[in-house]
Amino acid sequence: LAKTTQPISMDSYEGQEVNITCSHNNIATNDYITWYQQFPSQGPRFIIQGYKTKVTNEVASLFIPADRKSSTLSLPRVSLSDTAVYYCLVGLGGATNKLIFGTGTLLAVQP
Amino acid sequence: GAVVSQHPSRVICKSGTSVKIECRSLDFQATTMFWYRQFPKKSLMLMATSNEGSKATYEQGVEKDKFLINHASLTLSTLTVTSAHPEDSSFYICSARLPGQGLGEQYFGPGTRLTVT
């Protein structure tokens, strides 16, 4: 399973756009990229998943360059309630359907 | 969306006793469920994959005789921490995948906080 590298923490202010980048140099051809959000003392929540280019849903956008060795989660106009840990995962498109979590990025949104 | 519940949400037990944690998929059937453990300020660590009607698959380093997993129905998986010790105190989370959905879309339970005294 491909290893991921994310910043340990990020700070932002309400109303700003936040971009969290994840590196996954060893991503395999059939791997997807998935992001989860976790609040303290809660289970993670699925945010978005993509394979290449750009994916957008009502919560976020996911940008994936052509080489797929990195991806960027974009959160538009964050609010205080977006303060959470964000995990980037890859390696889900093959025979295994296990989720292996990396360290995640703690996003702190301030007023 | 799909809902996964866990019971209890919080449990305190004495060292040496066993504790059972239930994970239920409320509105869908899950042939596969996953169990994670999370220590404070750490990431989730996959413990095992629970398969309905068969033995669970444990990750390397996880003692299968200490963490007993039973997946007796398509909506229920249980994790029993046997002979619990203070170092087993942690946040235990289960997840399940919707049949036919993308592999990355797993639904997580709210977690169970285990404290062993």
Side-chain angles (χ1 to χ4, degrees):
Chain A
L1 297 173
K3 178 178 176 169
T4 60
T5 302
Q6 302 174 235
I8 294 176
S9 63
M10 292 182 68
D11 293 322
S12 182
Y13 292 94
E14 282 191 292
Q16 290 187 333
E17 177 185 79
V18 172
N19 297 309
I20 306 174
T21 298
C22 177
S23 297
H24 28 80
N25 293 319
N26 297 322
I27 189 169
T29 302
N30 58 352
D31 286 343
Y32 283 75
I33 300 159
T34 312
W35 287 79
Y36 281 81
Q37 174 194 56
Q38 185 183 27
F39 297 111
S41 297
Q42 294 186 27
R45 182 176 72 102
F46 172 89
I47 300 175
I48 198 167
Q49 183 182 60
Y51 183 80
K52 62 180 179 180
T53 62
K54 176 184 176 182
V55 179
T56 297
N57 61 22
E58 64 277 7
V59 178
S61 294
L62 179 60
F63 298 91
I64 305 169
D67 65 6
R68 303 202 324 124
K69 293 184 182 300
S70 67
S71 59
T72 299
L73 174 72
S74 181
L75 304 173
R77 296 180 297 282
V78 295
S79 63
L80 295 176
S81 62
D82 292 317
T83 294
V85 177
Y86 292 83
Y87 293 98
C88 160
L89 296 92
V90 299
L92 308 171
T96 176
N97 55 3
K98 299 189 296 187
L99 288 180
I100 305 298
F101 284 78
T103 56
T105 298
L106 173 58
L107 172 64
V109 180
Q110 301 176 30
Chain B
V3 179
V4 175
S5 70
Q6 285 184 238
H7 177 80
S9 58
R10 186 180 296 268
V11 58
I12 301 173
C13 71
K14 292 187 176 181
S15 185
T17 61
S18 296
V19 174
K20 179 184 286 187
I21 303 170
E22 294 185 346
C23 176
R24 293 182 185 272
S25 55
L26 298 184
D27 50 2
F28 66 100
Q29 294 183 330
T31 54
T32 303
M33 291 183 175
F34 304 88
W35 287 96
Y36 298 82
R37 179 167 55 180
Q38 186 174 33
F39 293 107
K41 299 189 183 301
K42 299 294 185 182
S43 184
L44 285 80
M45 185 191 79
L46 178 65
M47 299 176 67
T49 302
S50 171
N51 301 296
E52 189 270 335
S54 64
K55 292 183 178 180
T57 303
Y58 291 81
E59 294 299 303
Q60 189 174 7
V62 178
E63 300 175 58
K64 62 180 181 180
D65 294 330
K66 179 170 183 62
F67 299 99
L68 301 178
I69 292 174
N70 183 278
H71 195 153
S73 78
L74 288 172
T75 59
L76 173 64
S77 175
T78 61
L79 167 68
T80 301
V81 183
T82 63
S83 186
H85 291 284
E87 58 264 31
D88 297 323
S89 297
S90 188
F91 191 52
Y92 292 86
I93 310 170
C94 71
S95 73
R97 181 171 60 89
L98 275 175
Q101 292 293 320
L103 293 176
E105 296 184 42
Q106 289 193 16
Y107 295 87
F108 287 80
T112 297
R113 177 77 59 191
L114 170 63
T115 303
V116 184
T117 61

